[in-house]
Amino acid sequence: MASKIQKTIARQQEKIASGAYYEAHQQLRVIASRYVKARNWAAAIDVLFEGATALLRAGQGGSGGDLGCYLLDVYGKAEVPVGGEGKGRLLTVLRAFPPGEPTKKKFVGEMMAWSCKLGDHPNGDPELHHVAGTLFAEAVYAYHAFKLADHEPYEAERHLAFGTKDSPEHLANLEYEWYTQDDSHTAALYAARAIFPYLLTSNLRSANKAHLIFIARLISSNKSLSVQEVSSSSADMRVFPSLPLLNFLGLLLLAVQRGSADLFKQLAKHFAPHIKEVGMWDDALAQIGEAYFGIRIPRQGNPLFDMMGSMMGFGGSPRPSTPKVKRAEPAVLPAADLD
């Protein structure tokens, strides 16, 4: 049986190599359907994986993407576990998509749905999120697609927020590149897009990493930018006299790290006029206040990730558990002119 399947796949690969894309696509679908009907999951998976990969590498994104989505449908029916060879096949298919191919978004969405249902992570497998996010980010760089009409920046943000320990670097760099397309005073708006998602998903370490990378790039690329070093017995930070909201983000991370509700409230009051000007941080800060400092907010039936979606431009996702944050003694604001 194995040799028969391999011969079938080889014939279809020859057709793809000769340019008979439509014929190969249709025949691969029919063959896979027969195996699915017979509940021969392994054969169906082999046919769809090899066919999707071959078509995608030939630049046939629509046909290859269709077979890739069919492959995920079979994964669901066969209850293929998340990990090992099963995940490896999907990563191979994902990396084979041509840059900017529209069907990639559908494939990624169905891949994440499979990993949520059959994996150990309710928000989707972190490695799958990381690879998807970096590929969407690469598409942004390739096409300079930092426009509201382009979905890649938002898709990249969405997946990198749930990625691995390596994802914050990619997200921070994406946001910095996006920032360079905007006015210089908007730095904090883009830094927040790399920081808030991690805070909202209980990932303080990644939030800090993203902040440090964004700040480092900002300083290295703007030699004339005024920066002051502020040190205390327990913390060091950089203060930007011309960018008050960037100072707020740094102090917010410090407050979360210390578990200091007093510092959080003091920051919210001190920077209130600047936060009001932004007009889009209130929900995120309310969620952070409740999650890390026990400052309850009225319930209106909106899940956390619906709020994240409105802030970042993507649809709702499963709500993560409320972070359990270790309380610490209140901290005192560093003595510096922060606005």
Side-chain angles (χ1 to χ4, degrees), residues 102-309:
T103 59
K104 179 169 67 175
K105 182 180 178 181
K106 180 182 179 182
F107 175 81
V108 169
E110 295 185 11
M111 178 176 68
M112 293 308 169
W114 163 75
S115 75
C116 288
K117 182 179 179 180
L118 296 173
D120 298 328
H121 301 275
N123 292 317
D125 182 80
E127 184 182 7
L128 295 179
H129 274 301
H130 176 74
V131 175
T134 55
L135 290 174
F136 279 119
E138 288 172 6
V140 173
Y141 301 144
Y143 291 95
H144 301 286
F146 292 101
K147 301 175 184 177
L148 292 178
D150 295 306
H151 296 291
E152 280 82 1
Y154 303 119
E155 290 301 313
E157 288 178 323
R158 175 184 182 181
H159 294 293
L160 291 172
F162 293 105
T164 67
K165 62 182 178 61
D166 297 319
S167 298
E169 180 177 1
H170 292 270
L171 182 54
N173 284 324
L174 172 70
E175 301 301 351
Y176 187 81
E177 291 298 330
W178 202 349
Y179 158 64
T180 62
Q181 311 297 310
D182 208 336
D183 296 329
S184 60
H185 69 274
T186 62
L189 304 183
Y190 293 91
R193 297 179 77 94
I195 294 168
F196 284 166
Y198 290 124
L199 288 180
L200 292 168
T201 53
S202 315
N203 196 341
L204 176 58
R205 177 176 295 182
S206 290
N208 276 316
K209 184 176 180 180
H211 175 250
L212 290 173
I213 291 170
F214 189 97
I215 292 299
R217 289 203 61 183
L218 180 68
I219 294 173
S220 65
S221 301
N222 298 272
K223 302 300 183 182
S224 61
L225 181 64
S226 176
V227 185
Q228 299 173 2
E229 300 286 343
V230 177
S231 299
S232 69
S233 59
S234 58
D236 298 316
M237 70 172 291
R238 288 165 171 161
V239 173
F240 301 86
S242 63
L243 300 171
L245 283 176
L246 205 55
N247 302 327
F248 169 77
L249 292 174
L251 290 166
L252 173 64
L253 289 169
L254 181 62
V256 171
Q257 183 175 334
R258 295 179 175 179
S260 172
D262 288 346
L263 178 55
F264 177 76
K265 292 175 182 177
Q266 189 177 355
L267 288 173
K269 181 179 180 180
H270 183 81
F271 289 94
H274 302 291
I275 295 171
K276 185 177 180 180
E277 287 181 10
V278 174
M280 65 178 75
W281 286 7
D282 292 344
D283 287 343
L285 292 175
Q287 294 285 352
I288 291 168
E290 182 176 66
Y292 293 96
F293 309 110
I295 303 172
R296 298 189 64 81
I297 56 176
R299 291 296 173 204
Q300 300 177 349
N302 293 323
L304 170 61
F305 276 77
D306 285 345
M307 184 280 299
M308 283 183 66

